[in-house]
């Protein structure tokens, strides 16, 4: 079965204000930030408040993310994590079904 390259994919989305606020609270909770630090082996991380929907490989999205976020993927100063499904559920976010969050590594 050959791989089909998608010419383009619309990765835009809008979150309701309350859902976004709930999600951000979870993403900046001390326990979660400590867990990220452990995984990244760094002293501190800061949530950049940047989220994106992972996208299929295409001619314009070769890293599985919208092109404007690739600079964070290429930088050692940032980490991209998948938002845990239980966070999405707790914040009552069902569309999109997956999100990634960008964190800035400090120290």
């Amino acid at each position: 079965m050959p791989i089909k390259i998608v010419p383009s994919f619309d990765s835009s989305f809008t979150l309701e204000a309350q859902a976004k606020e709930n999600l951000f609270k979870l993403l900046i909770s001390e326990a979660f930030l400590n867990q990220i630090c452990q995984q990244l082996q760094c002293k501190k991380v800061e949530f950049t408040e940047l989220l994106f929907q992972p996208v299929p490989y295409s001619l314009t999205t070769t890293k599985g993310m919208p092109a404007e976020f690739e600079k964070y993927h290429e930088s050692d100063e940032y980490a991209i994590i998948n938002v845990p499904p239980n966070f999405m559920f707790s914040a009552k976010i069902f569309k999109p079904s997956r999100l990634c969050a960008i964190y800035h590594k400090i120290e």
Side-chain angles (χ1 to χ4, degrees):
M1 184 172 173
I3 296 175
K4 181 180 177 184
I5 297 177
V6 178
S8 65
F9 182 83
D10 181 15
S11 61
S12 62
F13 64 93
T14 305
L15 299 178
E16 292 181 20
Q18 188 62 50
K20 184 177 178 180
E21 181 181 331
N22 292 340
L23 181 62
F24 280 22
K25 283 180 185 176
L26 293 166
L27 293 173
I28 62 170
S29 69
E30 188 174 337
F32 190 63
L33 293 177
N34 289 337
Q35 186 178 358
I36 294 171
C37 287
Q38 271 187 320
Q39 290 293 317
L40 298 176
Q41 297 179 342
C42 65
K43 291 184 180 179
K44 186 176 178 186
V45 292
E46 184 177 83
F47 179 45
T48 62
E49 297 189 3
L50 296 173
L51 297 170
F52 66 87
Q53 179 182 8
V55 296
Y57 178 91
S58 74
L59 297 173
T60 57
T61 58
T62 58
K63 304 262 190 263
M65 63 186 67
E68 63 267 23
F69 292 102
E70 287 185 9
K71 63 184 175 188
Y72 298 105
H73 179 269
E74 296 163 358
S75 172
D76 290 336
E77 293 182 28
Y78 293 91
I80 298 171
I81 63 138
N82 286 310
V83 175
N86 59 320
F87 283 15
M88 300 281 288
F89 184 78
S90 294
K92 294 182 175 44
I93 299 171
F94 305 105
K95 287 195 178 185
S97 60
R98 291 178 53 213
L99 287 175
C100 291
I102 300 175
Y103 286 82
H104 183 228
K105 297 179 198 175
I106 300 171
E107 300 173 29

